Amino acid sequence: MYEKEEQKLTDFKDRLEQVPLPLEAADGAIMQGLERAKREKLQTRAKRKRSLLSLAAAALLILTLVTTIRVSPAFANAVASIPGMEKFVELIQNDKGLQAVFENEYYQPIGESQTVGNATLTIDGVILDESGMNIFYTIESAVEMDDIRINPIALKNQEEISPDGISWHHSDFEEGSPKIFQDVLSYRFSESTKFEDLDFTLALQVKLNGKEFDFSIPFTVPENVKPSIVYEMHEEVEVEGQKFTVEEVTIDPLRVGIRLTFDPDNTKKILQFEDIRLEDEDGESWSSIANGFSASGEAEDGEIVYYLQSNYFETPEKLYLRINKMQAVDIEDSYFLVDTDKNLLLHSPKDGQLELIESNRSGIEMILKRKDQPDHTYGIDKKITDADGELLDIQSSGISSGYEGKQDISIDINDNGYTNPVRVDLFAYPNYINGDVKIELKK
């Protein structure tokens, strides 16, 4: 009865483990990425050898996939049993929580399609819980696709769902077939939601080879969500004199949410929790989500929710929240000021790691000095406001990989007639405090 399924599983595992892609092909893929960057006019500085961090990460991902992909038999079996799902493996295999979703048959196939012009959009399946919805989809074109852009317009139930955030991964075209594109849209709900009506509509705008296609696909999710597991914590923590409170831990199949509040009397602003994880009694851990939502909320508003890979389908005897390394800066160092008319850096963190290279009303170029230090792997800008407190539109921003002890930072601004100087609030910065927080989660 199961001979075909077993053969599919065997073939799939063989493809993953035999690593058929030679390094020359990986090099070619990396060069394609670099050429694509040139087409998209990513800024470069003359006579500097650098690559944008996103491209370096993509190259690393390619090399990782072709040399080290290994998946559990349960996950491989689950994926092999769903037609076409093996193509999504690279978007799943680095997230233990998503693997568990498939192993526990919580992914729900949909299979609804719509054709507009020469393009067809198919909703392959979804993962729905109280925290959000992941939508796995495929776009097929009658002509080869040189370029593709995705613009999620709306997800509707009885009315439009207002998301707290939307992310997607920009997978490349299927190998050997530039007529097929697959990706995952991840919607995070603004509050915990359980739907009575499981009929939804996805409105999506797709730009293929410069031409726009507007899709609107109704679909029904077969089964309702599993309930959230909520731990009320209210545990105050102090790390190097900085206090915050772990208010609540919510575990859903898609993600774990850690809700934190911060003491208003702190002298430092905590920017990023670099090492925050759940850990069971055997030391197995579930860490930050690598692709997708990592956090929501604002520290200045007093509350942030950090997202981790989910252990929803596990049954540990004991479960702990562990927090170690954090990025933190003095409050007065949590931003920098630039007068883009005069090309002057007026204020920056006192450690001197930031240096202004060039600025004008359309953008800012800086250097982050990293001599004898590892690369800073986070974008540095959170929001930009002008002298009147008006929020400016960031057209693009990026940070390069390291070269000669430096990293380049590039921020493109939409010049709407703003008033100088502009203030750039830091999203992340390579200054750290360290602790050893271990809190047991108890019902």
Side-chain angles (χ1 to χ4, degrees):
M1 181 183 300
Y2 298 106
E3 290 181 359
K4 291 184 178 179
E5 285 77 7
E6 290 176 354
Q7 184 60 49
K8 286 169 66 179
L9 173 59
T10 300
D11 293 344
F12 179 52
K13 288 177 67 180
D14 287 345
R15 289 200 302 272
L16 289 176
E17 294 181 357
Q18 288 176 358
V19 194
L21 182 63
L23 290 179
E24 288 83 0
D27 289 339
I30 295 168
M31 291 308 298
Q32 281 186 339
L34 292 172
E35 289 302 317
R36 182 180 303 168
K38 292 178 183 177
R39 291 198 302 271
E40 293 176 356
K41 298 182 180 179
L42 293 172
Q43 292 187 352
T44 58
R45 291 187 60 81
K47 300 181 181 179
R48 289 186 178 173
K49 297 180 179 179
R50 70 173 187 172
S51 60
L52 286 179
L53 177 63
S54 58
L55 296 177
L60 178 60
L61 175 60
I62 292 168
L63 294 176
T64 300
L65 287 172
V66 301
T67 58
T68 63
I69 282 183
R70 294 293 185 272
V71 294
S72 71
F75 176 57
N77 191 21
V79 170
S81 68
I82 304 172
M85 184 52 60
E86 66 271 12
K87 303 184 185 82
F88 288 101
V89 166
E90 70 177 76
L91 300 178
I92 303 166
Q93 61 96 26
N94 287 323
D95 190 314
K96 293 165 64 174
L98 288 181
Q99 288 194 39
V101 163
F102 285 87
E103 292 169 6
N104 289 273
E105 300 181 350
Y106 192 64
Y107 169 88
Q108 301 193 63
I110 301 296
E112 294 290 344
S113 298
Q114 182 185 31
T115 299
V116 177
N118 59 10
T120 299
L121 173 65
T122 300
I123 298 177
D124 298 283
V126 303
I127 304 169
L128 173 64
D129 66 21
E130 292 186 21
S131 74
M133 180 188 291
N134 280 14
I135 302 173
F136 294 71
Y137 68 96
T138 300
I139 296 171
E140 295 186 68
S141 172
V143 298
E144 290 189 358
M145 294 183 279
D146 296 323
D147 190 32
I148 186 167
R149 293 289 182 272
I150 306 298
N151 178 28
I153 297 175
L155 178 63
K156 301 176 182 178
N157 187 246
Q158 293 178 336
E159 57 187 29
E160 185 172 332
I161 300 168
S162 178
D164 195 37
I166 308 172
S167 72
W168 54 99
H169 302 85
H170 290 302
S171 299
D172 210 342
F173 303 117
E174 180 182 332
E175 184 179 348
S177 179
K179 297 182 180 181
I180 299 176
F181 174 86
Q182 292 186 297
D183 199 8
V184 182
L185 286 175
S186 181
Y187 280 79
R188 187 183 69 244
F189 301 147
S190 56
E191 58 184 24
S192 182
T193 305
K194 187 170 183 177
F195 298 94
E196 294 182 5
D197 180 1
L198 296 178
D199 293 329
F200 296 87
T201 299
L202 174 67
L204 191 70
Q205 185 180 82
V206 179
K207 193 171 185 179
L208 299 176
N209 302 341
K211 185 177 180 181
E212 290 184 355
F213 298 82
D214 292 314
F215 294 95
S216 181
I217 302 183
F219 64 96
T220 300
V221 179
E223 297 181 15
N224 213 325
V225 303
K226 290 185 178 294
S228 303
I229 302 170
V230 180
Y231 294 87
E232 295 289 344
M233 306 289 288
H234 310 298
E235 292 273 352
E236 186 177 77
V237 174
E238 183 172 346
V239 177
E240 294 191 17
Q242 309 307 305
K243 295 179 181 179
F244 58 92
T245 301
V246 181
E247 300 287 0
E248 184 179 86
V249 176
T250 303
I251 302 177
D252 287 292
L254 279 172
R255 59 183 65 88
V256 172
I258 313 293
R259 184 164 64 89
L260 307 174
T261 57
F262 298 86
D263 191 321
D265 294 327
N266 283 346
T267 59
K268 292 181 181 292
K269 182 176 181 180
I270 298 176
L271 301 174
Q272 300 293 327
F273 285 73
E274 285 206 5
D275 189 359
I276 180 170
R277 64 197 186 278
L278 290 183
E279 190 173 276
D280 68 11
E281 70 278 2
D282 297 320
E284 182 174 0
S285 64
W286 292 265
S287 56
S288 299
I289 295 172
N291 295 305
F293 301 112
S294 59
S296 66
E298 302 285 349
E300 50 262 43
D301 295 334
E303 180 175 298
I304 286 184
V305 179
Y306 282 90
Y307 298 106
L308 309 180
Q309 298 176 30
S310 175
N311 74 326
Y312 186 91
F313 295 100
E314 303 296 327
T315 55
E317 293 183 9
K318 292 187 177 182
L319 191 61
Y320 304 92
L321 174 64
R322 302 295 308 272
I323 302 174
N324 296 104
K325 187 177 182 181
M326 289 156 272
Q327 295 179 20
V329 293
D330 292 339
I331 297 294
E332 63 269 22
D333 286 346
S334 63
Y335 66 96
F336 60 90
L337 282 176
V338 178
D339 188 320
T340 61
D341 287 327
K342 298 179 180 179
N343 191 32
L344 291 176
L345 180 62
L346 302 178
H347 175 83
S348 66
K350 67 177 74 70
D351 61 14
Q353 291 188 82
L354 284 177
E355 178 183 336
L356 179 65
I357 299 302
E358 184 180 353
S359 67
N360 55 49
R361 295 193 63 85
S362 298
I364 301 168
E365 291 192 32
M366 305 188 74
I367 281 177
L368 177 65
K369 301 174 185 177
R370 301 298 294 151
K371 184 177 181 180
D372 300 325
Q373 299 293 325
D375 281 3
H376 181 64
T377 57
Y378 294 76
I380 203 166
D381 54 287
K382 183 176 186 178
K383 66 177 180 180
I384 301 181
T385 50
D386 72 358
D388 298 323
E390 296 294 323
L391 190 65
L392 302 187
D393 180 28
I394 303 174
Q395 293 183 319
S396 65
S397 66
I399 184 169
S400 76
S401 54
Y403 70 98
E404 300 175 357
K406 305 172 184 177
Q407 290 178 258
D408 288 344
I409 297 167
S410 178
I411 303 172
D412 293 332
I413 306 169
N414 181 29
D415 182 5
N416 61 356
Y418 62 82
T419 304
N420 265 301
V422 297
R423 170 175 168 144
V424 181
D425 287 300
L426 295 176
F427 170 76
Y429 194 75
N431 192 75
Y432 307 97
I433 59 175
N434 294 278
D436 188 13
V437 177
K438 184 176 183 179
I439 305 172
E440 185 175 356
L441 277 60
K442 297 179 179 179
K443 280 293 188 181

